[in-house]
Structure formats: structure tokens, C-alpha cells
Amino acid sequence: MPVGALTATLPDDLALNVAVLYIGASIAGTTVSGDKLSAMCLRSLSRVRQLIEDHFLCERLDVAGIPVRAESLIIGEVIDGLLDRRPGDSPPVTVDLEGPIVAAVDRSLLERVIDSLLAVAGSDNTPVRVIARSGVDFIELSFSGHPPLPGALEDPRKGSPSDPKGRALALPVARRVAEALGGNLAVSDGRYVLTLARAATYTPQPESPAEP
């Protein structure tokens, strides 16, 4: 199939990658294997999917379209769960916790903001360090790794840098989620700092009644 016929049926993101791959192979005098083309397309699709998912999450958060269901959560357990689910090629993450820290937050939104900040701090496969500390009525999570760019927390504009893993909207997502949780996201001393309200005590969720 001519490359023009193939790329005409693809989204711009995929079309560009396919065209570049074919041109590079032509210059090198080689052919493009089906496996290589499939792997490239899957990476592009994954990147586009992540961008679309983050975009719509931002849109819903802008109109308060996501219900917030706060519950008392142990921060260390939430972070451990996220790290267990990360791909094997993710950069290493070191976590320093100031004892068991509890926050009254929505689990799903907390996971989204932490995942977004891990992705940004781990850009270019940079090792990430997470430090959690607590005060009388707040908790603070700081993420250090890849240094924040100037204006990092601003929404992207035309010409803003892209991200090879589709996380160009990770910081807009994190900022909006922090606000939805009644907290704040800031950049300080080369770190991303997430501040949230603290729960006074931890109350385990009751077990579901046994099936009769």
C-alpha cells in the first residue's frame, strides 16, 4: 500500500509517525516490518488516548462535573498501590513518609493527582523522590525529579512542548484535581508541592455484609 493511502486514513499524530518511519526506511534502503509498524502505532494510540483522557478530565473539573466523595485514606498505602501498577519501564521512585499520614480525600482523584505528578517529575526517565509530611490540619506531598519549567502550572498554549508519553496535560490535571480536593499545587525550590487537608483520625471502611 502506498504510504499516502495509508496515512490518509489515520489521525494526524499517527499519520506523521507512519510517514516518518517510511521515509527513514526508504533512505536507509530497508523495509518496514509489520511488527515494527504495529508497535509504533500502538505507542501513538496510547499517547493520543492519554491526551484525550486528560483533556476531558480537565473539562469536567472546570465545570465541577465530578462528584467528590471524601474518605479517610492512608497516603502511604495509596502511593504504594499506584507504584505497584506502574509499567516496568517507569523511572524509580523513592518515597519518604513522616509516619502514617491520613487525609480526608476522594480516592480516585487523589490517585489521579499523584499519578500525574509522578509522570511529570519522572519525565525523561528521571528518578523521582516523594516526601510526605503533615501539620496540624494539612499534609504536604513534594515531588522532585525532572525540574519544573517556567510557567509549568499554566495551561498549555499553541506551541507548548509535547510529551512522548502523552502527558502534556498532566500538570493542568494535577492543578485542577488539587483545587477540587480543596488543596493547592505549587512549584517551590524545583519541586512540585501538593497540599491537602488532613483527616484527624483514620476510620476503616466497614466490611460488606456477607452474602446470605
Side-chain angles (χ1 to χ4, degrees):
M1 178 187 293
V3 65
L6 175 60
T7 58
T9 65
L10 298 173
D12 289 345
D13 179 83
L14 285 175
L16 177 60
N17 283 327
V18 171
V20 168
L21 185 62
Y22 268 90
I23 291 171
S26 177
I27 293 173
T30 60
T31 58
V32 180
S33 70
D35 289 344
K36 187 173 183 180
L37 181 60
S38 296
M40 181 275 300
C41 288
L42 286 173
R43 287 194 298 271
S44 293
L45 284 171
S46 176
R47 186 163 66 249
V48 172
R49 179 200 62 78
Q50 186 66 63
L51 278 169
I52 293 173
E53 182 179 315
D54 286 348
H55 170 75
F56 280 109
L57 179 57
C58 286
E59 292 289 303
R60 293 181 66 192
L61 288 167
D62 282 342
V63 297
I66 297 180
V68 179
R69 300 180 176 88
E71 57 179 301
S72 294
L73 299 173
I74 299 177
I75 297 300
E77 292 182 357
V78 175
I79 295 176
D80 287 343
L82 285 171
L83 295 180
D84 287 342
R85 299 196 297 271
R86 281 164 64 83
D89 60 350
S90 299
V93 178
T94 302
V95 181
D96 295 328
L97 294 175
E98 192 182 78
I101 299 176
V102 179
V105 291
D106 181 287
R107 176 183 291 275
S108 177
L109 290 178
L110 179 63
E111 290 181 343
R112 290 304 295 265
V113 68
I114 293 176
D115 175 71
S116 295
L117 293 173
L118 287 174
V120 174
S123 297
D124 296 332
N125 213 36
T126 306
V128 179
R129 185 182 184 192
V130 182
I131 300 176
R133 68 182 188 89
S134 60
V136 175
D137 57 358
F138 73 92
I139 68 166
E140 181 183 281
L141 299 174
S142 71
F143 298 76
S144 58
H146 194 278
L149 298 174
L153 297 184
E154 298 176 1
D155 284 349
R157 303 184 179 93
K158 185 176 182 179
S160 296
S162 61
D163 181 84
K165 294 186 178 180
R167 301 311 304 264
L169 297 178
L171 283 174
V173 166
R175 193 187 77 239
R176 286 167 169 82
V177 171
E179 293 170 355
L181 295 174
N184 177 64
L185 178 63
V187 172
S188 176
D189 298 327
R191 301 170 298 139
Y192 300 99
V193 182
L194 174 66
T195 305
L196 299 171
R198 179 181 180 180
T201 58
Y202 174 63
T203 304
Q205 297 297 306
E207 295 183 1
S208 301
E211 294 285 340

